[in-house]
Amino acid sequence: MLQIIVDRGRCMGAGECVHVAPASFRLDETVTSTVIDPPGDDEPALLDAALSCPNSAITIVRDGVAVQASSEE
Amino acid sequence: MGDLANKPAVQGSFHPIDSADAAHPERLAEVRARCPVSVAARDGYPSVTMVATYEGIAEVFRNWRAFGSIGADPDPDVHDATPMELRPIIALDPPAHTWARRLNNLAMAPAAVEKALPYVASQAAALVGAFADDRQAELVGEWAEPLPGLAIARVLGLPEEDSGFIHDWVVSQFTESAAAAAGSNYGRTELPADEAFQGYLLEQIALRREDTAPEDAMTDMIRYRRDDGSSFSDLEISVHIRVLLIAGNETTTSLMSNLMYRLLSEPGLYERVAADRALVVPAIEESLRLDTPLQVIIRRANEDATVGDVLVERGSVIALSTMSGNRDETVWGEDADRYRLDRFAGDVERMHLGFGLGVHHCVGSFLARQTTALAVNALFDAIPSMSLEPGYEYENVFFHVFHRPKRLPVVFG
């Protein structure tokens, strides 16, 4: 079970998540990333969205554990 | 894609590193129309592969594996000679960039910046109050230059009284004489080390390694640790603070100046926004698009790679003309060169290139937008109507990277 967490105190509205996973993220009226319910992208796209966020504002949690959206492969 | 699909880049006449060309963004329409990717070569300037279309620029921005960051200097030797720990965030790629970005986010995330905004608002009101009864002002020097410096100093925790000295240091980096001192006829970003300024920063960092360290963003940065438990050295912290101070001073000054230039260039526009503050945000976003403060961003091809269907050879230095992408008719329409208050009205997606795209998207974007909104609202509150001084002629600052007027003399009241 995947959970998507957006840290609104970190989000600057860059919009990269909307570009990478448009069926799962939108920007709300305060230009802050918001998760679309239910999210419509697969896990690789969601992890890519987390990795693409310039402000590390997105965390993907699988079965209660944060998935490393790491660029250090 | 087969090799036959790859067209070689053609040579163009516009050189994005030459300040004389960079001062004329209207000429970019011709560059875009002729070739989205071209090679700019000119005696005395480094040869660069110039990308002029929105689509091509977005592709390079988002593909950091193929197109690495080497800083703002188009001379790759400067980057290659810089040790890893002295490289600024704009010259790092993931994974080193990711940790540096998280370090910078400690100071620049909205949750951190918001604490400084009441102070920024009061300083904006004080700056405007100082000239509101004079019937005239020079907005760059009296308004757009001092406020961003006060704001970034407050956000980091540096003493308020140092903001003037910091601003003077930033400005000294980007003058024609500084470029000449570095042995160049174009703006350089890697200038000889300034021992006095570096000494000041190391002193401020040392204060924050004491038990009596103030609880501020710089202290948070010093205490920050990567996942492997390592922290950033004093030298590394000083490099990151320098970049935040440069970007925090110069580029927000550009945004504020450019915005006022547009609002005062069309009769009635300033008064219209002053009377309807819901227009402030779309006015700022349209300024960021049309008058991109950082009008060229440098990358280097880490491998043979393509931009669209054009082959870019490994090692090529690439100049992304964000100014050109922000005026690309295929994205913004035939009136892309026009300043329109309704272009971003009601549209929360602001995918212009004013803050870049991808992992390097401007870390200070939130502070820049908020500072500018507070600053322009302070003007509107005190001065409901304003005009450019009769006979005013726009003159761009020296330095190919920056787009903003040198001066903005106004009359009112």
Side-chain angles (χ1 to χ4, degrees), chain B residues 195-208:
Chain B
E195 282 175 29
F197 195 74
Q198 182 64 12
Y200 166 75
L201 290 180
L202 291 175
E203 200 175 284
Q204 288 293 329
I205 291 165
L207 279 175
R208 288 166 176 79

Side-chain angles (χ1 to χ4, degrees), chain B residues 14-141:
Chain B
F14 186 99
H15 201 303
I17 308 304
D18 187 334
S19 293
D21 284 356
H24 292 283
E26 71 282 358
R27 287 179 45 205
L28 288 164
E30 186 199 323
V31 179
R32 278 192 303 277
R34 207 180 47 246
C35 197
V37 183
S38 57
V39 173
R42 184 167 296 173
D43 282 348
Y45 296 86
S47 287
V48 294
T49 299
M50 177 177 171
V51 184
T53 56
Y54 182 98
E55 200 181 354
I57 292 165
E59 193 181 335
V60 173
F61 265 138
R62 291 191 165 119
N63 188 358
W64 53 261
R65 287 183 174 85
F67 303 105
S69 289
I70 60 169
D73 200 303
D75 180 354
D77 293 343
V78 171
H79 171 76
D80 292 337
T82 306
M84 196 68 181
E85 68 165 347
L86 290 181
R87 289 182 183 175
I89 190 164
I90 57 168
L92 294 174
D93 292 316
H97 170 268
T98 310
W99 294 111
R101 179 65 185 227
R102 288 178 184 171
L103 178 84
N104 279 271
N105 281 341
L106 292 173
M108 306 309 291
V113 165
E114 267 166 4
K115 291 183 275 184
L117 295 182
Y119 166 83
V120 177
S122 70
Q123 292 300 309
L127 286 169
V128 173
F131 58 72
D133 295 329
D134 296 350
R135 304 165 71 92
Q136 59 175 18
E138 197 286 286
L139 287 183
V140 174

